[in-house]
């Protein structure tokens, strides 16, 4: 028998013996309802959820701007660009991010298949859209479908995310439901829930940002 | 006592005497506790959350036979290649065959306890591959040629200064006492490795059957890069990690981070379904998922021990364990240390060699109290002890307990023994604390109280 | 009401004053007390070492003695948990299953009995000292006994309770563990003592004489400036 057969047979054999004292688990529960009841509360209104997102994201050292227009997004990015002395930015094929990049006045690397990794490595920042934001945890959800690939949201030192108001999902459950619905039957090869910039506490539990990925994560919502 | 047990005792004693190291670990875990309690408090009902998580993981195991086949089917649909490894040896063989076929030279790895478990690095290195750990903690212990000290915080036993010296010696960097600078040194070294690497190997936290998705939790982004840059990606995952539905992760991911890392959610929780798809700019061309048994079906086959497979490897039980805090992660001599290691190792690797881990516990239950999936770890330790005592009883213990039982159930014998004890006690100062002392195990480090001039039972009889 | 008192072996031999205090407290409350003559031990050491057959003789004897008792009081979280939690597990599926459950349901740790069963919180005791409290693990986690001792202590005149940081951390006794792994056991005890000393308290108070035996053993050997006392002894002081 090959290993597949061996393992499946052992599992089947093992599970023939009923478990001891697990009656408690037999009760029929409405799991999604229970999850809602136990997870951190998210409030009722959009404003509450926006405030919650801000609090959670900032607690994990992400920067968050709720703005009214792409103009404001560009204005703020220009300031960051000067402060951090950006040389070039990376983005993915997307109307919104490309139009923003075009107004920054820096060389743009638009990542398409077969991009040059050394060029990409030199980029000071990447600008991407997202699939949604999660108020409950302060997370940004990106995927290899929405942002074109995997590295763009993790390789450059500064990751900038542009989100729209209607993309704010209240809970983790909502975000997962959204991902499932959006990609039903055609899952992107990667979906990532990003919360705050890359971090480590591996040395004496001292928090250091930018362990491998972005040192900064900036989120715009308009 | 067997060699493994002796080694365990020796190592434990060594760590106990290393006060500085113990203090370091204690402070780290102490601060951690405060942050964790804060996150726990944000849940509307943490206790009920534990119940739901336990139930979900329990049901996942009860239906593992169907779930795992569904996972395989869906992963394949997504373009992944699925392998099955019944043993560590087979898993190593699979990885090495892939590496050979791809003509790989450099392999980057993100944290994978499964890889530790099968000693993958050593095997690959022996075959001439360069294997680089990318998680900062793992990178540090790899440079020291040491196993991880903790399943979540591999290098928590080291100070900045030790790490600085290590980097200076191995990487030629300038000494520094800043954690940030040390991290950046590692970042630079590892970035280069990423770009050159041929294969990326990861562990995983969950495998979702209904979407054919592997979920990986991390904070540094090193697994993200491992999964983004090399042409081939391999995930090595234990079969107990299969859950039926993506929706369940809405609960598991925050609980994993809260219990184990005192975070409401980890920095990156990423679902991987397969190799790069049409229209995607990067990601591996091949995605291999290796489903590893290596003793897990042993646990599954035991109706009592089975629920230890619910473990999501959050590390919370290690963090709170006073034994772990005292003897440190290396003393255990196993891949999985702390309470969960003491529970599963004797079952997975043999009760005769590993029973001492189940006995080295005061059964305080701090672990069971925090475990997000409600594994009553200390009761499992008791069960392991029963298995050990039944399989291979220690004759003098068995007889000892029999005699004690006779004495304690016979009032006359008990009062005779009480009186003898009182007499013998007069001689005790002659041998107290020495090897001749029958109570040496106790009196070497502690005083023993004297038997009272009038015991309670004597008092009660006189009163009546 | 009549209470049947089970005094564990180490209290009988080393700390009779604990049992005596309890008898006095009950008499003062007008409760009739009967102390068990035998067995002397609940069988926990054998059970915790994995020798279940060797546990059963004492356990069965104890259960039979308690068959007709109205309420059983055990001044120890550890032995209390043995009877209340582990007897039913030990005898599951045997002819003693029902008896073990009956005994379990009427068995109380001493402070839990006073507070939860009798509803007594103020024993009019006086103890003008600073103390810190050590939660024995079995009482705390198997019996969920965090509050009763604290409620009782809060009513003691002159007593000041200063909680230590590691109140809920195991002291390292752990029954046979303390003799099997003395080095680990005493290192844990040292951590506990250090935490208690930090509070500046004069006494470490506990519901478990077994923890006290271990801690006091260390304190005496290392000449530490703190004492230990069982909660019953405080509650009996007038
Ligand atoms: S046993 Fe529980 S607490 Fe320990 S690592 Fe596993 S899930 Fe976490």
């Amino acid at each position: 028998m090959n290993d597949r057969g061996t393992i499946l047979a052992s599992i089947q054999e093992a599970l023939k013996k009923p478990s001891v004292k697990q009656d408690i688990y037999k009760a029929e529960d409405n799991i999604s309802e229970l999850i809602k009841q136990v997870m951190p509360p998210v409030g009722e209104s959009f404003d509450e959820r926006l405030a919650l997102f801000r609090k959670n994201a900032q607690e994990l050292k992400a920067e968050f701007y709720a703005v009214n227009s792409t103009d404001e997004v560009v204005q703020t990015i220009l300031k960051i660009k000067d402060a951090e002395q950006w040389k070039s930015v990376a983005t993915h094929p997307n109307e919104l991010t490309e139009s923003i990049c075009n107004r920054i006045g820096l060389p743009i690397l638009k990542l398409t298949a077969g991009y040059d990794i050394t060029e990409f490595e030199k980029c000071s920042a990447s600008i991407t859209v997202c699939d949604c934001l999660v108020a409950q945890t302060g997370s940004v959800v990106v995927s290899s479908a929405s942002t074109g690939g995997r590295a763009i949201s993790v390789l450059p030192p500064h990751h900038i995310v542009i989100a729209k108001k209607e993309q704010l999902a209240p809970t983790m459950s909502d975000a997962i439901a959204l991902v499932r619905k959006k990609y039903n039957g055609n899952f992107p090869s990667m979906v990532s829930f990003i919360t705050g910039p890359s971090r480590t506490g591996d040395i004496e539990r001292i928090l250091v940002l930018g362990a491998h990925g972005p040192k900064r994560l900036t989120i715009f919502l308009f | 006592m067997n060699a493994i047990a002796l080694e365990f005792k020796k190592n434990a004693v060594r760590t106990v005497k290393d006060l500085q190291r113990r203090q370091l670990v204690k402070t780290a875990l102490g601060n951690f506790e405060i942050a964790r309690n804060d996150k726990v408090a944000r849940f509307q009902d943490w206790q009920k959350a534990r119940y739901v998580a336990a139930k979900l993981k329990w049901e996942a195991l009860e239906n593992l036979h169907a779930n795992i086949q569904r996972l395989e089917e869906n992963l394949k649909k997504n373009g992944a290649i699925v392998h099955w490894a019944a043993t560590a040896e087979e898993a190593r063989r699979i990885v090495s065959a892939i590496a050979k076929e791809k003509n790989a030279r450099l392999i980057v790895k993100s944290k994978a306890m499964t890889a530790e478990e099968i000693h993958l690095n050593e095997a690959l290195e022996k075959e001439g591959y360069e294997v680089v750990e990318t998680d900062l903690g793992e990178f540090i212990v790899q440079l020291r040629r040491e196993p991880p000290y903790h399943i979540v915080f591999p290098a928590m036993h080291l100070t900045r200064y030790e790490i600085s010296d290590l980097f200076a010696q191995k990487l030629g960097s300038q000494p520094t006492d800043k954690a940030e600078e040390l991290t950046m040194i590692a970042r630079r070294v590892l970035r280069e490795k990423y770009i050159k690497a041929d294969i990326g190997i990861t562990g995983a936290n969950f495998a979702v059957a209904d979407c054919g998705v592997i979920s990986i939790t991390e904070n540094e982004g090193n697994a993200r890069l491992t999964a983004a840059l090399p042409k081939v990606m391999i995930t090595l995952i234990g079969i107990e990690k299969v859950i039926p539905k993506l929706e369940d992760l809405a609960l598991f991911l925050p609980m994993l981070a809260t219990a184990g890392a005192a975070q409401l959610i980890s920095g990156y929780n990423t679902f991987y379904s397969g190799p790069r798809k049409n229209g995607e700019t990067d990601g591996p061309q091949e995605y291999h998922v290796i489903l590893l048994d290596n003793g897990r079906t042993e646990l599954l086959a035991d109706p009592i021990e089975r629920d230890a497979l619910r473990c999501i490897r959050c590390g919370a039980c290690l963090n709170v364990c006073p034994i772990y805090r005292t003897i440190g992660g290396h003393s255990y001599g196993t891949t999985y240390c702390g309470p969960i290691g003491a529970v599963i190792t004797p079952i997975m690797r043999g009760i005769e060699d590993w029973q001492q881990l189940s006995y080295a516990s005061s059964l305080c239950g701090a672990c069971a109290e925090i475990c997000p999936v409600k594994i009553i770890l200390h009761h499992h330790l008791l069960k392991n002890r029963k298995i050990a005592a039944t399989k291979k009883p220690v004759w003098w213990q068995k007889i000892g307990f029999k005699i004690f039982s006779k004495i304690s159930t016979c009032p006359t014998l008990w009062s005779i023994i009480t009186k003898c004890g009182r007499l013998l006690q007069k001689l005790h100062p002659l041998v107290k604390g020495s090897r001749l002392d029958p109570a040496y195990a106790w009196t070497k480090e502690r005083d023993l109280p004297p038997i009272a001039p009038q015991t309670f039972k004597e008092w009660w009889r006189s009163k009546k | 009401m009549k209470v049947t008192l089970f005094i564990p072996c180490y209290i009988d031999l080393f700390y009779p004053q604990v049992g005596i205090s309890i008898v006095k407290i009950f008499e003062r409350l007008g409760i009739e007390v009967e102390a068990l003559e035998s067995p002397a031990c609940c069988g926990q050491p054998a059970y915790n070492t994995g020798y279940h057959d060797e546990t059963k003789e004492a356990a069965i004897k104890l259960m039979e003695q308690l068959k007709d008792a109205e309420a059983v009081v055990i001044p120890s979280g550890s032995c209390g948990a043995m009877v209340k939690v582990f007897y039913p597990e030990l005898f599951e599926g045997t002819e003693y299953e029902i008896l073990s459950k009956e005994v379990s349901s009427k068995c109380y740790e001493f402070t839990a009995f006073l507070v939860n069963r009798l509803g007594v919180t103020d024993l009019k005791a006086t103890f003008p000292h600073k103390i810190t409290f050590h939660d024995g693990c079995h009482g705390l986690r198997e019996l969920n006994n965090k509050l009763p001792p604290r409620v009782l202590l809060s009513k003691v005149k002159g007593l000041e309770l200063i909680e230590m940081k590691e109140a809920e951390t195991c002291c390292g006794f752990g029954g046979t563990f303390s003799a099997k792994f003395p080095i680990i056991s005493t290192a844990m005890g040292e951590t506990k003592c250090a935490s208690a000393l930090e509070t500046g308290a004069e006494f470490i108070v506990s519901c478990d004489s077994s923890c006290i035996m271990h801690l006091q053993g260390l304190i005496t050997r290392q000449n530490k400036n703190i004492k230990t006392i069982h909660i019953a002894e405080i509650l009996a002081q007038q």
Side-chain angles (χ1 to χ4, degrees):
Chain A
M1 218 186 317
N2 60 11
D3 281 38
R4 182 180 188 277
T6 315
I7 295 175
L8 284 173
S10 327
I11 294 174
Q12 198 163 29
E13 189 55 38
L15 289 172
K16 273 188 192 148
K17 289 174 230 158
S19 324
V20 174
K21 278 215 286 186
Q22 296 290 345
D23 334 337
I24 171 180
Y25 299 110
K26 298 223 177 76
E28 279 303 322
D29 286 320
N30 178 344
I31 294 295
S32 58
E33 187 49 41
L34 277 175
I35 293 180
K36 210 184 276 167
Q37 286 170 17
V38 301
M39 286 282 287
V42 293
E44 293 295 330
S45 68
F46 176 80
D47 287 342
E48 276 173 86
R49 288 166 181 175
L50 185 68
L52 181 64
F53 179 83
R54 182 193 300 275
K55 176 179 157 267
N56 283 332
Q58 287 176 347
E59 190 177 80
L60 283 155
K61 308 277 190 282
E63 290 148 68
F64 177 65
Y65 299 90
V67 294
N68 293 312
S69 64
T70 43
D71 284 345
E72 276 186 58
V73 175
V74 173
Q75 292 314 318
T76 316
I77 292 183
L78 284 173
K79 276 187 212 140
I80 300 173
K81 166 194 121 176
D82 290 340
E84 289 198 323
Q85 302 183 341
W86 288 2
K87 301 278 185 307
S88 60
V89 291
T91 188
H92 54 99
N94 176 283
E95 230 174 277
L96 178 62
T97 56
E98 284 181 64
S99 80
I100 290 172
C101 287
N102 285 334
R103 294 163 66 187
I104 304 177
L106 281 178
I108 304 166
L109 180 68
K110 189 161 89 179
L111 296 187
T112 48
Y115 64 78
D116 180 349
I117 178 87
T118 33
E119 276 310 302
F120 182 32
E121 257 265 295
K122 288 183 201 144
C123 289
S124 316
S126 64
I127 303 183
T128 74
V129 295
C130 66
D131 292 86
C132 65
L133 307 179
V134 191
Q136 197 167 47
T137 52
S139 312
V140 177
V141 183
V142 298
S143 72
S144 52
S146 65
T147 68
R150 298 186 180 190
I152 190 161
S153 53
V154 75
L155 190 125
H158 195 155
H159 177 205
I160 294 191
V161 178
I162 320 282
K164 294 187 175 156
K165 279 201 172 111
E166 60 272 21
Q167 286 186 304
L168 180 65
T171 65
M172 280 293 283
S173 296
D174 296 323
I176 287 175
L178 200 137
V179 166
R180 187 193 276 283
K181 196 160 158 235
K182 186 168 173 186
Y183 299 116
N184 191 22
N186 189 23
F187 221 81
S189 77
M190 181 209 81
V191 176
S192 193
F193 286 62
I194 300 176
T195 317
S198 155
R199 65 191 51 237
T200 186
D202 273 350
I203 299 177
E204 287 192 27
R205 316 288 317 124
I206 300 165
L207 176 69
V208 178
L209 299 180
H212 279 280
K215 284 189 185 53
R216 287 178 73 183
L217 171 68
T218 304
I219 305 157
F220 290 98
L221 183 82
F222 75 96
Chain B
M1 212 186 293
N2 66 49
I4 301 175
L6 280 174
E7 188 65 20
F8 170 72
K9 268 207 169 167
K10 212 175 74 201
N11 290 337
V13 170
R14 185 170 341 112
T15 327
V16 166
K17 297 208 168 122
D18 189 348
L19 286 180
Q20 230 175 327
R21 183 96 42 218
R22 267 169 61 201
Q23 190 55 39
L24 184 74
V25 171
K26 193 177 154 221
T27 318
L29 293 175
N31 296 339
F32 168 88
E33 217 155 86
I34 301 166
R36 187 203 58 217
N37 291 344
D38 167 57
K39 301 303 177 303
V40 162
R42 299 204 195 170
F43 281 71
Q44 291 174 74
D45 190 340
W46 174 256
Q47 291 312 330
K48 202 162 170 195
R50 293 174 69 222
Y51 163 76
V52 182
K55 178 185 164 92
L56 284 174
K57 201 71 206 282
W58 181 256
E59 285 172 352
L61 286 170
E62 293 283 277
N63 299 306
L64 184 57
H65 194 253
N67 287 343
I68 199 165
Q69 293 182 76
R70 188 127 185 258
L71 171 77
E72 179 189 34
E73 190 186 312
N74 286 323
L75 274 170
K76 280 183 175 166
K77 256 189 218 151
N78 293 331
I81 302 161
V82 180
H83 308 262
W84 300 70
T87 58
E89 193 189 351
E90 176 62 8
R92 288 194 298 263
R93 199 197 55 75
I94 294 167
V95 177
S96 127
I98 299 169
K100 195 160 171 205
E101 192 206 312
K102 301 295 162 204
N103 265 322
R105 285 212 315 278
L106 174 59
I107 299 172
V108 285
K109 270 185 67 215
S110 72
K111 208 170 154 17
M113 290 311 290
T114 39
E116 295 290 335
E117 180 185 326
I118 66 166
H119 301 289
L120 184 61
N121 290 11
E122 292 90 318
L124 291 172
E125 279 168 2
K126 221 180 253 162
E127 291 174 23
Y129 301 103
E130 183 186 352
V131 186
V132 181
E133 294 287 350
T134 59
D135 171 89
L136 178 60
E138 292 281 350
F139 176 68
I140 294 167
V141 293
Q142 187 188 32
L143 287 180
R144 284 172 61 97
R145 299 247 137 231
E146 227 175 47
Y149 198 78
H150 185 289
I151 62 179
V152 179
F153 316 125
M156 71 173 303
H157 59 306
L158 301 171
T159 63
R160 278 168 282 167
Y161 310 98
E162 287 168 306
I163 295 167
S164 168
D165 289 349
L166 176 74
F167 282 7
Q169 190 199 341
K170 301 268 168 154
L171 308 171
S173 60
Q174 287 301 314
T176 168
D177 62 356
K178 301 218 167 45
E180 161 131 37
E181 282 174 21
L182 290 166
T183 306
M184 292 310 134
I185 292 167
R187 176 182 163 121
R188 276 195 296 278
V189 171
L190 290 168
R191 209 25 109 71
E192 267 175 37
K193 300 286 181 192
Y194 274 122
I195 290 172
K196 289 196 214 130
D198 307 296
I199 295 180
I201 299 180
T202 76
N205 301 82
F206 299 93
V208 188
D210 75 340
C211 300
V213 152
I214 301 292
S215 175
I216 301 180
T217 297
E218 51 154 344
N219 280 306
E220 297 180 0
N222 62 311
R224 287 282 315 269
L225 287 169
T226 305
L229 301 179
K231 287 203 177 59
V232 177
M233 173 176 174
I234 303 174
T235 292
L236 187 57
I237 183 170
I239 55 170
E240 84 284 13
K241 296 279 165 86
V242 185
I243 58 169
K245 294 198 314 293
L246 199 61
E247 281 68 16
D248 299 345
L249 291 178
L251 182 71
F252 282 127
L253 298 178
M255 287 189 76
L256 171 67
T258 298
Q263 296 173 306
L264 195 51
I265 191 149
S266 313
Y268 299 91
N269 285 289
T270 311
F271 309 155
Y272 297 100
S273 69
R276 98 166 55 157
K277 288 203 155 176
N278 272 342
E280 296 179 357
T281 54
D282 52 15
Q285 282 147 5
E286 270 179 32
Y287 184 33
H288 298 263
V289 176
I290 304 173
L291 302 170
L292 177 72
D293 180 347
N294 199 29
R296 286 163 175 78
T297 46
E298 281 307 294
L299 271 172
L300 193 69
D302 186 326
I304 297 173
E305 306 274 0
R306 185 177 293 167
D307 65 352
L309 283 177
R310 288 207 295 262
C311 175
I312 56 174
R313 304 276 186 266
C314 70
C317 56
L318 283 63
N319 298 340
V320 298
C321 177
I323 313 281
Y324 176 86
R325 289 181 181 202
T326 306
I327 67 173
H330 286 157
S331 298
Y332 292 82
T334 61
T335 309
Y336 304 103
C337 50
I340 185 66
V343 168
I344 63 176
T345 311
I347 306 296
M348 291 171 70
R349 295 177 67 181
I351 196 93
E352 284 177 22
D353 283 345
W354 296 95
Q355 53 171 289
Q356 65 280 0
L357 297 187
S358 301
Y359 282 102
S361 164
S362 60
L363 305 171
C364 77
C367 47
E369 187 174 55
I370 189 63
C371 175
V373 285
K374 284 177 90 106
I375 303 171
I376 312 299
L377 291 145
H378 62 304
H379 289 192
H380 277 283
L381 294 177
L382 275 172
K383 284 163 194 156
N384 286 358
R385 294 179 185 187
K386 183 190 169 195
I387 295 172
T390 314
K391 254 197 173 164
K392 213 178 169 195
V394 182
W395 66 269
W396 57 266
Q397 282 185 356
K398 205 176 163 72
I399 293 174
F401 284 126
K402 263 215 174 92
I403 295 173
F404 182 67
S405 165
K406 284 275 169 299
I407 296 169
S408 86
T409 47
C410 170
T412 332
L413 274 177
W414 183 256
S415 56
I416 294 173
I417 288 290
T418 305
K419 292 200 179 86
C420 292
R422 226 179 253 132
L423 277 177
L424 281 174
Q425 192 174 261
K426 297 219 163 69
L427 305 171
H428 192 223
L430 296 176
V431 292
K432 190 178 125 185
S434 81
R435 291 238 170 225
L436 292 174
D437 188 345
Y440 176 71
W442 181 275
T443 53
K444 185 174 172 245
E445 313 259 348
R446 287 157 290 203
D447 273 20
L448 195 64
I451 296 176
Q454 188 182 37
T455 66
F456 177 80
K457 286 189 202 309
E458 288 162 350
W459 174 80
W460 179 256
R461 254 177 261 135
S462 71
K463 181 177 146 80
K464 272 205 301 196
Chain C
M1 166 175 290
K2 185 173 165 193
V3 162
T4 306
L5 188 59
F6 173 66
I7 295 294
C9 49
Y10 49 88
I11 295 188
D12 176 48
L13 293 179
F14 303 125
Y15 300 104
Q17 67 277 20
V18 173
I20 297 169
S21 302
I22 291 171
V23 172
K24 283 192 182 141
I25 289 169
F26 282 145
E27 282 174 348
R28 229 179 270 149
L29 290 170
I31 292 171
E32 195 186 333
V33 194
E34 163 74 39
L36 279 194
E37 192 43 58
S38 180
C41 171
C42 62
Q44 186 168 204
Y47 182 76
N48 281 0
T49 315
Y51 294 88
H52 288 202
D53 289 340
E54 288 68 22
T55 311
K56 283 181 178 156
E57 188 180 352
I60 291 169
K61 174 129 195 220
L62 181 55
M63 291 193 305
E64 271 165 357
Q65 296 283 313
L66 297 174
K67 201 163 28 191
D68 302 317
E70 205 182 330
V72 181
V73 168
I74 304 182
S76 153
S78 187
C79 306
M82 181 67 197
V83 177
K84 222 172 156 53
V85 178
F86 296 111
Y87 274 13
E89 285 197 15
L90 180 63
F91 291 107
E92 197 182 76
T94 71
E95 56 185 307
Y96 293 100
E97 182 170 338
I98 296 172
L99 178 60
S100 70
K101 285 185 182 151
E102 273 170 19
V103 170
S104 162
S105 68
K106 60 187 173 188
C107 162
Y108 297 85
E109 184 277 329
F110 167 63
T111 60
F113 179 74
L114 288 175
V115 176
N116 300 344
R117 174 73 197 269
L118 296 184
V120 172
T121 54
D122 191 351
L123 289 161
K124 308 268 181 289
T126 307
F127 193 71
H129 297 281
K130 269 192 197 172
I131 65 127
T132 189
F133 189 78
H134 160 62
D135 285 285
C137 297
H138 278 104
L140 180 68
R141 299 198 181 87
E142 304 291 352
L143 303 178
N144 201 6
N145 211 15
K146 173 115 187 143
L147 285 179
R150 289 179 170 77
V151 169
L152 290 163
L153 289 172
S154 73
K155 298 284 162 66
V156 174
K157 260 190 245 95
L159 179 143
E160 186 190 349
L161 168 65
I162 311 163
E163 294 280 2
M164 61 179 132
K165 262 203 218 114
E166 311 245 7
E168 292 189 5
T169 308
C170 178
C171 68
F173 173 65
T176 47
F177 166 76
S178 62
K180 264 191 155 114
F181 298 94
I183 302 276
I184 308 178
S185 167
T186 46
M188 288 162 70
E190 282 167 11
T191 308
K192 187 90 205 189
C193 285
S195 183
L197 282 166
E198 247 175 48
T199 64
E202 298 160 66
F203 289 90
I204 303 175
V205 180
S206 181
C207 295
D208 279 87
S209 293
S210 47
C211 305
I212 286 180
M213 181 165 82
H214 166 69
L215 290 173
Q216 186 62 54
L218 265 179
I219 290 167
T220 318
R221 181 66 59 90
Q222 302 185 353
N223 272 323
K224 290 200 160 61
N225 188 20
I226 196 161
K227 289 170 277 208
T228 55
I229 189 168
H230 190 279
I231 188 167
E233 293 176 70
I234 293 183
L235 297 175
Q237 308 247 346
Q238 293 212 308

